[in-house]
């Protein structure tokens, strides 16, 4: 059997959708399972034996109809038995149409159902604490009836060398071994997904006041100025606990560094999803325009907690569409005071550090 899973988009999406491949591998150990993703997201798939071939969707496929057509014909030549489209946008519809796969599975959405043999309801509310991001992906496996107990947790694989390199990096920066280490998801993928920097500094201060811990900042070199803004706004007693220059060179080194940390706190995004895949406890501060019910995965009130402005000020969300919330995101963020959830951070730290 030959199966193709499609998931363009960001790192978090690709990592979460890899659970489709993982469960297919358990059910069909001898199948060929291929995964079509953006080239920038492949580091989160390294070492995953559930995936036989990674097919890259590149910038040229987006810019050139000819290149997109050629990719579609390449997929058709593979003669897939099953195609699972977890993306379901224009880019993937063209590939699905050209694929000639015997069975094509995606979400039920108006105007595109003719493309697929199986159209699965796109649920609006989660049924469990897995969160909609996980539940929706698993629902795409229902038509195949896998006859296994599905595993909902995405996986990351860190090599011995990567772990050793991260340990060496910790030693080089003289990270205190007797203390737990917290990774701060300092900055979101865009400004509209980034908790205000002055507020984030207060959160970091609060963590440092509560616990004797090592604190790492997750940021890209291009985000250095924003990271410095947070660092400089922290109290000097907090700054002493921050290892500001302990950074990875790329996504794989971040994964290895995160593997040496004990938990993660901060903005929703790829870093949080990677930490969860490494089975690290997480505390998420959601952007006001993002729906918590989708990405608050594995929420149990102990190892995984999250906060959203709507939890504290539901009045600000009355009769507001996602488009309106996105437009007002920055002003809404200013209403999302760190004091609102300091008790929840304290609870999270107590449950995951103080033991």
């Amino acid at each position: 059997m030959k199966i193709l899973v499609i998931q363009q988009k960001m790192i978090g999406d690709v990592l979460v959708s890899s659970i489709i491949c993982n469960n297919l591998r358990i059910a069909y150990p001898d199948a060929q399972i291929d995964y079509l993703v953006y080239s920038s997201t492949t580091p989160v798939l390294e070492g995953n034996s559930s995936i036989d071939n990674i097919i890259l969707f590149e910038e040229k496929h987006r810019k050139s109809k000819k290149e997109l057509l050629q990719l579609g014909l390449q997929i058709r030549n593979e003669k897939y038995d099953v195609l699972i489209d977890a993306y379901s946008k224009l880019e993937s519809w063209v590939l699905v149409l050209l694929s000639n796969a015997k069975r094509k599975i995606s979400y039920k959405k108006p105007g595109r159902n003719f493309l697929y043999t199986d159209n699965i309801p796109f649920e609006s509310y989660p049924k469990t604490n897995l969160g909609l991001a996980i539940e929706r992906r698993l629902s795409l496996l229902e038509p195949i009836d896998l006859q296994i107990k599905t595993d909902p947790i995405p996986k990351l694989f860190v090599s011995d060398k990567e772990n050793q390199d991260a340990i060496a990096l910790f030693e080089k920066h003289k990270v205190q071994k007797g203390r737990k280490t917290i990774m701060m998801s300092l900055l979101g993928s865009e400004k509209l997904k980034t908790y205000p920097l002055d507020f984030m500094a207060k959160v970091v201060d609060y963590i440092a006041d509560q616990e004797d811990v090592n604190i790492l900042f997750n940021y890209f070199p291009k985000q250095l100025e924003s990271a410095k803004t947070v660092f400089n706004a922290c109290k000097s007693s907090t700054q002493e606990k921050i290892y500001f220059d302990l950074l990875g060179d790329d996504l794989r080194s971040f994964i290895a560094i995160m593997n040496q940390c004990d938990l993660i706190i901060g903005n929703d995004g790829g870093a949080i999803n990677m930490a969860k895949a490494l089975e690290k406890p997480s505390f998420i501060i959601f952007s006001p325009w993002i729906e918590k019910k989708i990405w608050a995965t594995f929420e149990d009130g102990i190892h995984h907690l999250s906060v959203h402005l709507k939890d504290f000020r539901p009045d600000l969300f009355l009769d507001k569409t996602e488009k309106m919330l996105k437009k007002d995101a920055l002003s809404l963020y200013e209403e999302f005071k760190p004091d609102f959830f300091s008790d929840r951070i304290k609870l999270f730290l107590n449950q995951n550090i103080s033991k």
Side-chain angles (χ1 to χ4, degrees), residues 27-44:
Y28 303 114
D30 300 323
Q32 178 182 318
I33 300 168
D34 297 347
Y35 196 13
L36 187 145
V37 299
Y38 287 161
S39 49
S40 59
T41 64
T42 57
V44 298

mmCIF file with all atom_site columns, all heavy atoms in Angstrom, residues 27-44:
data_model
loop_
_atom_site.group_PDB
_atom_site.id
_atom_site.type_symbol
_atom_site.label_atom_id
_atom_site.label_alt_id
_atom_site.label_comp_id
_atom_site.label_asym_id
_atom_site.label_entity_id
_atom_site.label_seq_id
_atom_site.pdbx_PDB_ins_code
_atom_site.Cartn_x
_atom_site.Cartn_y
_atom_site.Cartn_z
_atom_site.occupancy
_atom_site.B_iso_or_equiv
_atom_site.pdbx_formal_charge
_atom_site.auth_seq_id
_atom_site.auth_comp_id
_atom_site.auth_asym_id
_atom_site.auth_atom_id
_atom_site.pdbx_PDB_model_num
ATOM 1   N N   . ALA A 1 27 ? -0.422 0.729  12.064 1.00 0.00 ? 27 ALA A N   1
ATOM 2   C CA  . ALA A 1 27 ? -1.458 -0.121 11.455 1.00 0.00 ? 27 ALA A CA  1
ATOM 3   C C   . ALA A 1 27 ? -0.939 -0.866 10.227 1.00 0.00 ? 27 ALA A C   1
ATOM 4   O O   . ALA A 1 27 ? -1.330 -2.006 9.974  1.00 0.00 ? 27 ALA A O   1
ATOM 5   C CB  . ALA A 1 27 ? -2.660 0.730  11.079 1.00 0.00 ? 27 ALA A CB  1
ATOM 6   N N   . TYR A 1 28 ? -0.061 -0.196 9.456  1.00 0.00 ? 28 TYR A N   1
ATOM 7   C CA  . TYR A 1 28 ? 0.455  -0.795 8.210  1.00 0.00 ? 28 TYR A CA  1
ATOM 8   C C   . TYR A 1 28 ? 1.976  -0.728 8.191  1.00 0.00 ? 28 TYR A C   1
ATOM 9   O O   . TYR A 1 28 ? 2.568  0.129  7.541  1.00 0.00 ? 28 TYR A O   1
ATOM 10  C CB  . TYR A 1 28 ? -0.101 -0.046 6.988  1.00 0.00 ? 28 TYR A CB  1
ATOM 11  C CG  . TYR A 1 28 ? -1.601 0.009  6.925  1.00 0.00 ? 28 TYR A CG  1
ATOM 12  C CD1 . TYR A 1 28 ? -2.277 1.224  7.044  1.00 0.00 ? 28 TYR A CD1 1
ATOM 13  C CD2 . TYR A 1 28 ? -2.359 -1.154 6.737  1.00 0.00 ? 28 TYR A CD2 1
ATOM 14  C CE1 . TYR A 1 28 ? -3.660 1.288  6.982  1.00 0.00 ? 28 TYR A CE1 1
ATOM 15  C CE2 . TYR A 1 28 ? -3.742 -1.100 6.678  1.00 0.00 ? 28 TYR A CE2 1
ATOM 16  C CZ  . TYR A 1 28 ? -4.385 0.116  6.804  1.00 0.00 ? 28 TYR A CZ  1
ATOM 17  O OH  . TYR A 1 28 ? -5.762 0.174  6.748  1.00 0.00 ? 28 TYR A OH  1
ATOM 18  N N   . PRO A 1 29 ? 2.644  -1.631 8.924  1.00 0.00 ? 29 PRO A N   1
ATOM 19  C CA  . PRO A 1 29 ? 4.105  -1.550 9.049  1.00 0.00 ? 29 PRO A CA  1
ATOM 20  C C   . PRO A 1 29 ? 4.848  -1.652 7.717  1.00 0.00 ? 29 PRO A C   1
ATOM 21  O O   . PRO A 1 29 ? 5.961  -1.149 7.592  1.00 0.00 ? 29 PRO A O   1
ATOM 22  C CB  . PRO A 1 29 ? 4.461  -2.721 9.978  1.00 0.00 ? 29 PRO A CB  1
ATOM 23  C CG  . PRO A 1 29 ? 3.233  -3.564 10.071 1.00 0.00 ? 29 PRO A CG  1
ATOM 24  C CD  . PRO A 1 29 ? 2.078  -2.708 9.755  1.00 0.00 ? 29 PRO A CD  1
ATOM 25  N N   . ASP A 1 30 ? 4.230  -2.288 6.713  1.00 0.00 ? 30 ASP A N   1
ATOM 26  C CA  . ASP A 1 30 ? 4.918  -2.482 5.431  1.00 0.00 ? 30 ASP A CA  1
ATOM 27  C C   . ASP A 1 30 ? 4.520  -1.467 4.363  1.00 0.00 ? 30 ASP A C   1
ATOM 28  O O   . ASP A 1 30 ? 4.993  -1.551 3.224  1.00 0.00 ? 30 ASP A O   1
ATOM 29  C CB  . ASP A 1 30 ? 4.654  -3.909 4.903  1.00 0.00 ? 30 ASP A CB  1
ATOM 30  C CG  . ASP A 1 30 ? 5.153  -4.965 5.880  1.00 0.00 ? 30 ASP A CG  1
ATOM 31  O OD1 . ASP A 1 30 ? 6.212  -4.730 6.498  1.00 0.00 ? 30 ASP A OD1 1
ATOM 32  O OD2 . ASP A 1 30 ? 4.479  -5.999 6.042  1.00 0.00 ? 30 ASP A OD2 1
ATOM 33  N N   . ALA A 1 31 ? 3.640  -0.532 4.694  1.00 0.00 ? 31 ALA A N   1
ATOM 34  C CA  . ALA A 1 31 ? 3.182  0.445  3.700  1.00 0.00 ? 31 ALA A CA  1
ATOM 35  C C   . ALA A 1 31 ? 4.283  1.460  3.383  1.00 0.00 ? 31 ALA A C   1
ATOM 36  O O   . ALA A 1 31 ? 5.194  1.684  4.195  1.00 0.00 ? 31 ALA A O   1
ATOM 37  C CB  . ALA A 1 31 ? 1.947  1.177  4.227  1.00 0.00 ? 31 ALA A CB  1
ATOM 38  N N   . GLN A 1 32 ? 4.202  2.064  2.195  1.00 0.00 ? 32 GLN A N   1
ATOM 39  C CA  . GLN A 1 32 ? 5.048  3.224  1.881  1.00 0.00 ? 32 GLN A CA  1
ATOM 40  C C   . GLN A 1 32 ? 4.260  4.459  2.292  1.00 0.00 ? 32 GLN A C   1
ATOM 41  O O   . GLN A 1 32 ? 3.179  4.712  1.773  1.00 0.00 ? 32 GLN A O   1
ATOM 42  C CB  . GLN A 1 32 ? 5.376  3.293  0.390  1.00 0.00 ? 32 GLN A CB  1
ATOM 43  C CG  . GLN A 1 32 ? 6.211  4.529  0.040  1.00 0.00 ? 32 GLN A CG  1
ATOM 44  C CD  . GLN A 1 32 ? 6.511  4.630  -1.449 1.00 0.00 ? 32 GLN A CD  1
ATOM 45  O OE1 . GLN A 1 32 ? 6.823  3.622  -2.078 1.00 0.00 ? 32 GLN A OE1 1
ATOM 46  N NE2 . GLN A 1 32 ? 6.411  5.825  -2.010 1.00 0.00 ? 32 GLN A NE2 1
ATOM 47  N N   . ILE A 1 33 ? 4.807  5.212  3.251  1.00 0.00 ? 33 ILE A N   1
ATOM 48  C CA  . ILE A 1 33 ? 4.123  6.402  3.768  1.00 0.00 ? 33 ILE A CA  1
ATOM 49  C C   . ILE A 1 33 ? 4.967  7.619  3.434  1.00 0.00 ? 33 ILE A C   1
ATOM 50  O O   . ILE A 1 33 ? 6.099  7.766  3.919  1.00 0.00 ? 33 ILE A O   1
ATOM 51  C CB  . ILE A 1 33 ? 3.889  6.288  5.293  1.00 0.00 ? 33 ILE A CB  1
ATOM 52  C CG1 . ILE A 1 33 ? 3.022  5.048  5.608  1.00 0.00 ? 33 ILE A CG1 1
ATOM 53  C CG2 . ILE A 1 33 ? 3.222  7.553  5.830  1.00 0.00 ? 33 ILE A CG2 1
ATOM 54  C CD1 . ILE A 1 33 ? 2.970  4.693  7.078  1.00 0.00 ? 33 ILE A CD1 1
ATOM 55  N N   . ASP A 1 34 ? 4.433  8.484  2.574  1.00 0.00 ? 34 ASP A N   1
ATOM 56  C CA  . ASP A 1 34 ? 5.138  9.698  2.159  1.00 0.00 ? 34 ASP A CA  1
ATOM 57  C C   . ASP A 1 34 ? 4.421  10.918 2.745  1.00 0.00 ? 34 ASP A C   1
ATOM 58  O O   . ASP A 1 34 ? 3.210  10.886 2.988  1.00 0.00 ? 34 ASP A O   1
ATOM 59  C CB  . ASP A 1 34 ? 5.184  9.794  0.633  1.00 0.00 ? 34 ASP A CB  1
ATOM 60  C CG  . ASP A 1 34 ? 5.961  8.629  0.004  1.00 0.00 ? 34 ASP A CG  1
ATOM 61  O OD1 . ASP A 1 34 ? 6.662  7.907  0.741  1.00 0.00 ? 34 ASP A OD1 1
ATOM 62  O OD2 . ASP A 1 34 ? 5.852  8.449  -1.226 1.00 0.00 ? 34 ASP A OD2 1
ATOM 63  N N   . TYR A 1 35 ? 5.188  11.997 2.942  1.00 0.00 ? 35 TYR A N   1
ATOM 64  C CA  . TYR A 1 35 ? 4.643  13.183 3.609  1.00 0.00 ? 35 TYR A CA  1
ATOM 65  C C   . TYR A 1 35 ? 5.065  14.410 2.810  1.00 0.00 ? 35 TYR A C   1
ATOM 66  O O   . TYR A 1 35 ? 6.263  14.642 2.600  1.00 0.00 ? 35 TYR A O   1
ATOM 67  C CB  . TYR A 1 35 ? 5.204  13.234 5.030  1.00 0.00 ? 35 TYR A CB  1
ATOM 68  C CG  . TYR A 1 35 ? 4.489  14.145 6.014  1.00 0.00 ? 35 TYR A CG  1
ATOM 69  C CD1 . TYR A 1 35 ? 3.248  14.697 5.752  1.00 0.00 ? 35 TYR A CD1 1
ATOM 70  C CD2 . TYR A 1 35 ? 5.081  14.448 7.243  1.00 0.00 ? 35 TYR A CD2 1
ATOM 71  C CE1 . TYR A 1 35 ? 2.605  15.515 6.671  1.00 0.00 ? 35 TYR A CE1 1
ATOM 72  C CE2 . TYR A 1 35 ? 4.453  15.269 8.176  1.00 0.00 ? 35 TYR A CE2 1
ATOM 73  C CZ  . TYR A 1 35 ? 3.213  15.803 7.870  1.00 0.00 ? 35 TYR A CZ  1
ATOM 74  O OH  . TYR A 1 35 ? 2.573  16.618 8.790  1.00 0.00 ? 35 TYR A OH  1
ATOM 75  N N   . LEU A 1 36 ? 4.089  15.199 2.361  1.00 0.00 ? 36 LEU A N   1
ATOM 76  C CA  . LEU A 1 36 ? 4.365  16.409 1.579  1.00 0.00 ? 36 LEU A CA  1
ATOM 77  C C   . LEU A 1 36 ? 4.260  17.633 2.479  1.00 0.00 ? 36 LEU A C   1
ATOM 78  O O   . LEU A 1 36 ? 3.207  17.894 3.063  1.00 0.00 ? 36 LEU A O   1
ATOM 79  C CB  . LEU A 1 36 ? 3.389  16.514 0.406  1.00 0.00 ? 36 LEU A CB  1
ATOM 80  C CG  . LEU A 1 36 ? 3.679  17.640 -0.594 1.00 0.00 ? 36 LEU A CG  1
ATOM 81  C CD1 . LEU A 1 36 ? 3.318  17.200 -2.014 1.00 0.00 ? 36 LEU A CD1 1
ATOM 82  C CD2 . LEU A 1 36 ? 2.924  18.920 -0.261 1.00 0.00 ? 36 LEU A CD2 1
ATOM 83  N N   . VAL A 1 37 ? 5.381  18.361 2.601  1.00 0.00 ? 37 VAL A N   1
ATOM 84  C CA  . VAL A 1 37 ? 5.448  19.505 3.529  1.00 0.00 ? 37 VAL A CA  1
ATOM 85  C C   . VAL A 1 37 ? 6.297  20.626 2.919  1.00 0.00 ? 37 VAL A C   1
ATOM 86  O O   . VAL A 1 37 ? 7.014  20.416 1.943  1.00 0.00 ? 37 VAL A O   1
ATOM 87  C CB  . VAL A 1 37 ? 6.079  19.092 4.886  1.00 0.00 ? 37 VAL A CB  1
ATOM 88  C CG1 . VAL A 1 37 ? 5.256  18.022 5.576  1.00 0.00 ? 37 VAL A CG1 1
ATOM 89  C CG2 . VAL A 1 37 ? 7.537  18.616 4.710  1.00 0.00 ? 37 VAL A CG2 1
ATOM 90  N N   . TYR A 1 38 ? 6.234  21.802 3.525  1.00 0.00 ? 38 TYR A N   1
ATOM 91  C CA  . TYR A 1 38 ? 7.143  22.893 3.147  1.00 0.00 ? 38 TYR A CA  1
ATOM 92  C C   . TYR A 1 38 ? 8.563  22.506 3.549  1.00 0.00 ? 38 TYR A C   1
ATOM 93  O O   . TYR A 1 38 ? 8.788  21.910 4.623  1.00 0.00 ? 38 TYR A O   1
ATOM 94  C CB  . TYR A 1 38 ? 6.776  24.197 3.862  1.00 0.00 ? 38 TYR A CB  1
ATOM 95  C CG  . TYR A 1 38 ? 5.529  24.892 3.362  1.00 0.00 ? 38 TYR A CG  1
ATOM 96  C CD1 . TYR A 1 38 ? 4.880  25.835 4.164  1.00 0.00 ? 38 TYR A CD1 1
ATOM 97  C CD2 . TYR A 1 38 ? 5.001  24.639 2.103  1.00 0.00 ? 38 TYR A CD2 1
ATOM 98  C CE1 . TYR A 1 38 ? 3.739  26.497 3.720  1.00 0.00 ? 38 TYR A CE1 1
ATOM 99  C CE2 . TYR A 1 38 ? 3.868  25.299 1.653  1.00 0.00 ? 38 TYR A CE2 1
ATOM 100 C CZ  . TYR A 1 38 ? 3.237  26.224 2.470  1.00 0.00 ? 38 TYR A CZ  1
ATOM 101 O OH  . TYR A 1 38 ? 2.114  26.878 2.028  1.00 0.00 ? 38 TYR A OH  1
ATOM 102 N N   . SER A 1 39 ? 9.534  22.912 2.727  1.00 0.00 ? 39 SER A N   1
ATOM 103 C CA  . SER A 1 39 ? 10.928 22.530 2.991  1.00 0.00 ? 39 SER A CA  1
ATOM 104 C C   . SER A 1 39 ? 11.431 23.069 4.331  1.00 0.00 ? 39 SER A C   1
ATOM 105 O O   . SER A 1 39 ? 12.272 22.460 4.984  1.00 0.00 ? 39 SER A O   1
ATOM 106 C CB  . SER A 1 39 ? 11.839 22.994 1.854  1.00 0.00 ? 39 SER A CB  1
ATOM 107 O OG  . SER A 1 39 ? 11.602 24.348 1.553  1.00 0.00 ? 39 SER A OG  1
ATOM 108 N N   . SER A 1 40 ? 10.903 24.221 4.776  1.00 0.00 ? 40 SER A N   1
ATOM 109 C CA  . SER A 1 40 ? 11.382 24.839 6.025  1.00 0.00 ? 40 SER A CA  1
ATOM 110 C C   . SER A 1 40 ? 10.992 24.043 7.278  1.00 0.00 ? 40 SER A C   1
ATOM 111 O O   . SER A 1 40 ? 11.508 24.293 8.359  1.00 0.00 ? 40 SER A O   1
ATOM 112 C CB  . SER A 1 40 ? 10.821 26.256 6.153  1.00 0.00 ? 40 SER A CB  1
ATOM 113 O OG  . SER A 1 40 ? 9.399  26.219 6.139  1.00 0.00 ? 40 SER A OG  1
ATOM 114 N N   . THR A 1 41 ? 10.078 23.080 7.116  1.00 0.00 ? 41 THR A N   1
ATOM 115 C CA  . THR A 1 41 ? 9.565  22.368 8.301  1.00 0.00 ? 41 THR A CA  1
ATOM 116 C C   . THR A 1 41 ? 10.194 20.983 8.505  1.00 0.00 ? 41 THR A C   1
ATOM 117 O O   . THR A 1 41 ? 9.906  20.321 9.497  1.00 0.00 ? 41 THR A O   1
ATOM 118 C CB  . THR A 1 41 ? 8.038  22.183 8.197  1.00 0.00 ? 41 THR A CB  1
ATOM 119 O OG1 . THR A 1 41 ? 7.735  21.338 7.075  1.00 0.00 ? 41 THR A OG1 1
ATOM 120 C CG2 . THR A 1 41 ? 7.325  23.511 8.019  1.00 0.00 ? 41 THR A CG2 1
ATOM 121 N N   . THR A 1 42 ? 11.066 20.562 7.590  1.00 0.00 ? 42 THR A N   1
ATOM 122 C CA  . THR A 1 42 ? 11.580 19.180 7.652  1.00 0.00 ? 42 THR A CA  1
ATOM 123 C C   . THR A 1 42 ? 12.395 18.843 8.913  1.00 0.00 ? 42 THR A C   1
ATOM 124 O O   . THR A 1 42 ? 12.438 17.673 9.296  1.00 0.00 ? 42 THR A O   1
ATOM 125 C CB  . THR A 1 42 ? 12.426 18.839 6.408  1.00 0.00 ? 42 THR A CB  1
ATOM 126 O OG1 . THR A 1 42 ? 13.500 19.792 6.299  1.00 0.00 ? 42 THR A OG1 1
ATOM 127 C CG2 . THR A 1 42 ? 11.575 18.909 5.147  1.00 0.00 ? 42 THR A CG2 1
ATOM 128 N N   . PRO A 1 43 ? 13.042 19.828 9.588  1.00 0.00 ? 43 PRO A N   1
ATOM 129 C CA  . PRO A 1 43 ? 13.808 19.444 10.782 1.00 0.00 ? 43 PRO A CA  1
ATOM 130 C C   . PRO A 1 43 ? 12.985 18.715 11.853 1.00 0.00 ? 43 PRO A C   1
ATOM 131 O O   . PRO A 1 43 ? 13.535 17.897 12.589 1.00 0.00 ? 43 PRO A O   1
ATOM 132 C CB  . PRO A 1 43 ? 14.332 20.788 11.311 1.00 0.00 ? 43 PRO A CB  1
ATOM 133 C CG  . PRO A 1 43 ? 14.460 21.633 10.081 1.00 0.00 ? 43 PRO A CG  1
ATOM 134 C CD  . PRO A 1 43 ? 13.291 21.253 9.233  1.00 0.00 ? 43 PRO A CD  1
ATOM 135 N N   . VAL A 1 44 ? 11.687 18.977 11.933 1.00 0.00 ? 44 VAL A N   1
ATOM 136 C CA  . VAL A 1 44 ? 10.887 18.304 12.967 1.00 0.00 ? 44 VAL A CA  1
ATOM 137 C C   . VAL A 1 44 ? 10.541 16.869 12.574 1.00 0.00 ? 44 VAL A C   1
ATOM 138 O O   . VAL A 1 44 ? 9.957  16.130 13.370 1.00 0.00 ? 44 VAL A O   1
ATOM 139 C CB  . VAL A 1 44 ? 9.582  19.077 13.322 1.00 0.00 ? 44 VAL A CB  1
ATOM 140 C CG1 . VAL A 1 44 ? 9.909  20.434 13.887 1.00 0.00 ? 44 VAL A CG1 1
ATOM 141 C CG2 . VAL A 1 44 ? 8.638  19.180 12.140 1.00 0.00 ? 44 VAL A CG2 1
#
